[in-house]
Amino acid sequence: MTTNTAPWSQLEAAAAAALSGAYAPYSKFRVGSAAQTSDGRLISGCNIENAAYGVTLCAECSMVGQLFATGGGTLEYFLCFGQLADGELELITPCGRCRQILFEHRGANLQIKTARGIVGIEDLLPDAFGPQNLNV
Protein backbone atom coordinates (compact mmCIF):
# COMPACT_ATOMS: atom_id res chain seq x y z
CA MET A 1 0.00 0.00 0.00
CA THR A 2 1.75 3.13 -1.21
CA THR A 3 0.51 6.58 -0.31
CA ASN A 4 -0.70 8.79 -3.15
CA THR A 5 1.49 11.69 -2.07
CA ALA A 6 5.28 11.47 -2.06
CA PRO A 7 6.52 11.89 1.53
CA TRP A 8 9.56 14.02 0.63
CA SER A 9 9.56 16.24 3.73
CA GLN A 10 9.33 13.18 6.01
CA LEU A 11 12.11 11.46 4.09
CA GLU A 12 14.30 14.56 4.26
CA ALA A 13 13.88 14.69 8.05
CA ALA A 14 14.61 10.96 8.40
CA ALA A 15 17.70 11.14 6.16
CA ALA A 16 19.04 14.17 8.04
CA ALA A 17 18.51 12.40 11.37
CA ALA A 18 20.25 9.28 10.08
CA LEU A 19 23.15 11.38 8.76
CA SER A 20 23.65 12.84 12.24
CA GLY A 21 24.44 9.31 13.46
CA ALA A 22 26.91 8.47 10.68
CA TYR A 23 30.38 7.17 11.54
CA ALA A 24 32.77 8.90 9.13
CA PRO A 25 36.06 9.60 10.95
CA TYR A 26 38.20 9.11 7.81
CA SER A 27 36.44 10.89 4.95
CA LYS A 28 34.49 13.31 7.16
CA PHE A 29 31.67 12.82 4.62
CA ARG A 30 28.52 11.76 6.45
CA VAL A 31 25.63 10.27 4.51
CA GLY A 32 22.03 9.61 5.49
CA SER A 33 19.41 7.90 3.35
CA ALA A 34 15.69 7.35 3.80
CA ALA A 35 12.94 5.55 1.94
CA GLN A 36 9.27 4.78 2.15
CA THR A 37 8.45 1.11 1.72
CA SER A 38 5.60 -0.53 -0.15
CA ASP A 39 3.61 -0.82 3.09
CA GLY A 40 4.20 2.83 4.08
CA ARG A 41 7.04 2.40 6.61
CA LEU A 42 9.82 4.98 6.71
CA ILE A 43 13.28 3.46 6.94
CA SER A 44 16.68 5.10 7.05
CA GLY A 45 20.38 4.39 7.22
CA CYS A 46 23.74 6.07 7.61
CA ASN A 47 27.25 5.38 6.36
CA ILE A 48 29.59 3.47 8.65
CA GLU A 49 33.23 3.79 7.67
CA ASN A 50 35.98 1.34 8.52
CA ALA A 51 39.77 1.68 8.62
CA ALA A 52 39.79 -1.12 6.02
CA TYR A 53 37.98 1.10 3.50
CA GLY A 54 36.59 -1.75 1.42
CA VAL A 55 34.30 -2.90 4.24
CA THR A 56 32.72 0.51 4.76
CA LEU A 57 28.91 0.40 4.70
CA CYS A 58 27.10 2.96 2.61
CA ALA A 59 23.96 4.57 4.03
CA GLU A 60 21.83 2.70 1.48
CA CYS A 61 23.26 -0.63 2.66
CA SER A 62 22.35 0.00 6.28
CA MET A 63 18.93 1.25 5.15
CA VAL A 64 18.22 -1.95 3.18
CA GLY A 65 19.25 -3.90 6.29
CA GLN A 66 16.55 -2.02 8.15
CA LEU A 67 14.09 -2.78 5.32
CA PHE A 68 14.45 -6.51 5.97
CA ALA A 69 14.86 -6.25 9.75
CA THR A 70 11.47 -4.52 9.95
CA GLY A 71 9.40 -6.67 7.62
CA GLY A 72 10.74 -6.55 4.07
CA GLY A 73 8.87 -5.16 1.09
CA THR A 74 10.10 -2.85 -1.61
CA LEU A 75 11.28 0.74 -1.88
CA GLU A 76 8.79 3.27 -3.28
CA TYR A 77 10.41 6.66 -2.55
CA PHE A 78 14.07 7.35 -1.76
CA LEU A 79 16.49 10.20 -1.13
CA CYS A 80 19.98 10.64 0.23
CA PHE A 81 21.80 13.53 1.95
CA GLY A 82 25.54 14.06 2.23
CA GLN A 83 27.54 16.50 4.33
CA LEU A 84 31.29 17.10 4.35
CA ALA A 85 32.53 17.93 7.87
CA ASP A 86 30.41 20.89 9.02
CA GLY A 87 29.48 21.94 5.48
CA GLU A 88 26.07 22.27 3.91
CA LEU A 89 23.64 19.38 3.84
CA GLU A 90 23.36 18.35 0.17
CA LEU A 91 20.95 16.15 -1.74
CA ILE A 92 23.22 13.55 -3.38
CA THR A 93 22.79 10.57 -5.67
CA PRO A 94 23.85 7.07 -4.65
CA CYS A 95 27.16 5.56 -5.75
CA GLY A 96 27.12 2.83 -8.40
CA ARG A 97 27.10 -0.02 -5.87
CA CYS A 98 24.13 1.49 -4.08
CA ARG A 99 22.26 2.13 -7.31
CA GLN A 100 22.47 -1.63 -7.85
CA ILE A 101 21.18 -2.25 -4.31
CA LEU A 102 18.27 0.14 -4.88
CA PHE A 103 17.50 -1.59 -8.19
CA GLU A 104 17.34 -4.99 -6.49
CA HIS A 105 14.87 -3.78 -3.82
CA ARG A 106 12.82 -1.29 -5.85
CA GLY A 107 9.09 -1.14 -6.15
CA ALA A 108 7.59 -1.05 -9.64
CA ASN A 109 7.79 2.77 -9.76
CA LEU A 110 10.60 3.71 -7.35
CA GLN A 111 10.96 7.50 -7.29
CA ILE A 112 14.31 8.98 -6.31
CA LYS A 113 14.75 12.62 -5.36
CA THR A 114 18.00 14.04 -6.73
CA ALA A 115 19.47 17.51 -7.07
CA ARG A 116 18.19 17.55 -10.68
CA GLY A 117 14.67 16.43 -9.76
CA ILE A 118 12.66 13.26 -9.29
CA VAL A 119 13.94 10.33 -11.37
CA GLY A 120 13.37 6.62 -11.67
CA ILE A 121 16.05 4.01 -11.01
CA GLU A 122 16.30 3.43 -14.77
CA ASP A 123 17.61 6.99 -15.09
CA LEU A 124 20.39 6.30 -12.58
CA LEU A 125 21.16 2.74 -13.67
CA PRO A 126 20.16 2.09 -17.27
CA ASP A 127 20.31 -1.50 -18.51
CA ALA A 128 20.75 -2.76 -14.95
CA PHE A 129 21.71 -6.33 -14.16
CA GLY A 130 19.10 -8.05 -12.03
CA PRO A 131 17.03 -11.16 -11.41
CA GLN A 132 15.84 -11.07 -15.03
CA ASN A 133 19.42 -11.89 -16.08
CA LEU A 134 19.50 -14.97 -13.85
CA ASN A 135 16.22 -16.52 -14.98
CA VAL A 136 14.77 -16.35 -11.47
Side-chain angles (χ1 to χ4, degrees):
M1 146 183 110
T2 302
T3 60
N4 292 330
T5 305
W8 298 122
S9 62
Q10 291 175 307
L11 292 178
E12 289 171 356
L19 179 143
S20 72
Y23 178 72
Y26 309 110
S27 72
K28 308 292 188 233
F29 190 73
R30 298 180 304 153
V31 179
S33 64
Q36 181 176 301
T37 67
S38 51
D39 66 0
R41 285 175 290 129
L42 288 181
I43 58 171
S44 62
C46 63
N47 62 321
I48 304 164
E49 291 184 347
N50 190 288
Y53 294 135
V55 295
T56 291
L57 292 178
C58 294
E60 296 87 342
C61 293
S62 61
M63 182 194 73
V64 168
Q66 188 181 58
L67 171 69
F68 285 95
T70 62
T74 59
L75 305 172
E76 302 297 321
Y77 299 96
F78 169 85
L79 63 77
C80 195
F81 280 136
Q83 182 180 43
L84 182 57
D86 291 325
E88 295 293 316
L89 196 64
E90 298 179 56
L91 196 56
I92 61 172
T93 56
C95 69
R97 174 182 178 224
C98 290
R99 291 174 191 205
Q100 182 67 39
I101 288 168
L102 293 173
F103 179 81
E104 181 81 10
H105 303 290
R106 74 198 182 287
N109 296 303
L110 173 61
Q111 295 182 33
I112 301 167
K113 187 172 186 179
T114 72
R116 64 183 171 104
I118 309 298
V119 299
I121 191 64
E122 306 79 20
D123 295 312
L124 296 182
L125 192 65
D127 303 318
F129 181 87
Q132 74 279 3
N133 299 104
L134 300 174
N135 294 322
V136 293

